Amino acid sequence: MTTKQALISSFLIVLLCHSCATTLGLSPAKTPSKAPAEAPAKPAQPPASPETTASAPPLSDVPIVQSPPHKGRSRIPTDVAGILEKVGGFSVFIRLLRSTEVLTQVENQLSASNSLTILAPTNDAFGSTLKPGTLNTLTNEQKIQLIQYHVLPTFISLDKFQTLSDPVRTQAANTYEYPMNITSEGNWVNISTGIVNASITATVFADDQLAIYRVDKVLLPLGVFAPRPKLPAPAQAPAPAAKAKNSAASSSSTLDGADEDSKSASGATSVVRTLSVGGSIGLAILVLW
């Protein structure tokens, strides 16, 4: 065998051994094990309703506009219109306060150290409560009563609304035509006029003399928007007609009796005189009897 053939034979033997070793080293593929099943995902929670996620913010007794400090006993009259203008959103109410001159009345009362509470509706309240043009259909007297209905004649702090007795008195007319009922629980205050229900939404201003609260509705009084029948005048005590009649009859009888007696006496005197003149005394006595 030549050297070349020997080399080729050796190469073939090495190649054959390598192939056998590779084949023997391979193991049969295992059957893949079944992966454990994953737990089903939890169903998604339904989104919470807006009522449960967001509640109305509690009404704060901290005023939006702070009252200026007082210097000794001197007191600067509170600028009601200036306070409302500073907060903003009350231009309709301010215009009505001025046009009806209720603002002047309020300022005079505050200057005289009287205490007041003002329930101020916002511009949005006018838009949601009244139809367009409604204010133009009211007389000046009705506008005055409407604005005075939003003014209470005493200072009422937020925690004092619970102590009020219904109907609450306002600066409008009597409480029969202009009733107002107020209910309060905690810092929640509801106002009922018989036509609308409103709520106080913020304390605009408060000191020891004046309180201004923001309300979400115009307070519509019955006396303007649903007039009630007038109350009947209080009945006067009936005159004692029977007694008066009896007294008159008694007086009449007395007078008639007196007249009759007078007439009888006069007639008798005339007869006596006549018969006396004739000289017949016995006949005169008979007539008198």
Side-chain angles (χ1 to χ4, degrees):
M1 179 180 293
T2 61
T3 304
K4 186 176 180 179
Q5 290 176 341
L7 291 173
I8 292 173
S9 298
S10 299
F11 176 75
L12 292 174
I13 292 171
V14 171
L15 183 60
L16 180 60
C17 292
H18 178 72
S19 298
C20 292
T22 301
T23 302
L24 293 174
L26 293 176
S27 60
K30 295 181 180 180
T31 304
S33 61
K34 188 176 182 180
E38 296 182 358
K42 294 183 179 180
Q45 294 286 343
S49 62
E51 295 180 355
T52 58
T53 56
S55 59
L59 179 60
S60 174
D61 57 355
V62 178
I64 299 174
V65 178
Q66 299 294 326
S67 60
H70 298 161
K71 297 180 180 180
R73 294 185 178 181
S74 63
R75 183 187 185 97
I76 301 175
T78 306
D79 184 3
V80 174
I83 293 172
L84 294 175
E85 288 172 346
K86 184 175 182 179
V87 176
F90 295 96
S91 59
V92 178
F93 187 63
I94 294 172
R95 185 173 70 249
L96 287 170
L97 279 170
R98 287 173 171 158
S99 64
T100 59
E101 298 186 356
V102 174
L103 181 60
T104 302
Q105 298 174 10
V106 167
E107 291 173 345
N108 291 338
Q109 289 176 312
L110 293 176
S111 298
S113 298
N114 293 328
S115 60
L116 297 172
T117 297
I118 299 177
L119 306 172
T122 62
N123 295 341
D124 291 339
F126 277 95
S128 63
T129 308
L130 297 175
K131 295 180 180 179
T134 299
L135 292 176
N136 296 331
T137 64
L138 302 179
T139 65
N140 188 58
E141 181 64 24
Q142 288 175 326
K143 290 179 182 178
I144 291 174
Q145 294 295 325
L146 172 63
I147 299 305
Q148 287 182 335
Y149 188 65
H150 289 75
V151 182
L152 310 183
T154 56
F155 169 78
I156 304 174
S157 60
L158 198 59
D159 59 341
K160 295 299 182 183
F161 278 103
Q162 299 182 14
T163 64
L164 297 181
S165 299
D166 293 330
V168 177
R169 185 172 181 81
T170 71
Q171 286 201 329
N174 60 64
T175 54
Y176 172 75
E177 293 182 284
Y178 297 82
M180 176 183 291
N181 296 328
I182 296 180
T183 56
S184 175
E185 183 177 351
N187 286 343
W188 175 81
V189 180
N190 181 73
I191 305 168
S192 176
T193 71
I195 298 179
V196 298
N197 290 320
S199 297
I200 292 178
T201 59
T203 303
V204 176
F205 178 88
D207 58 8
D208 58 350
Q209 184 187 23
L210 173 68
I212 304 177
Y213 298 103
R214 183 176 65 199
V215 292
D216 59 357
K217 296 286 181 62
V218 181
L219 306 178
L220 305 181
L222 288 171
V224 174
F225 294 92
R228 288 186 174 188
K230 298 291 184 180
L231 282 174
Q236 297 182 354
K243 185 176 181 180
K245 185 176 181 180
N246 293 337
S247 299
S250 177
S251 300
S252 177
S253 300
T254 303
L255 291 175
D256 291 344
D259 290 343
E260 292 296 332
D261 292 342
S262 177
K263 289 179 181 179
S264 299
S266 177
T269 304
S270 299
V271 171
V272 169
R273 286 178 179 176
T274 303
L275 293 178
S276 296
V277 173
S280 181
I281 302 298
L283 184 60
I285 294 173
L286 180 61
V287 172
L288 288 173
W289 180 87

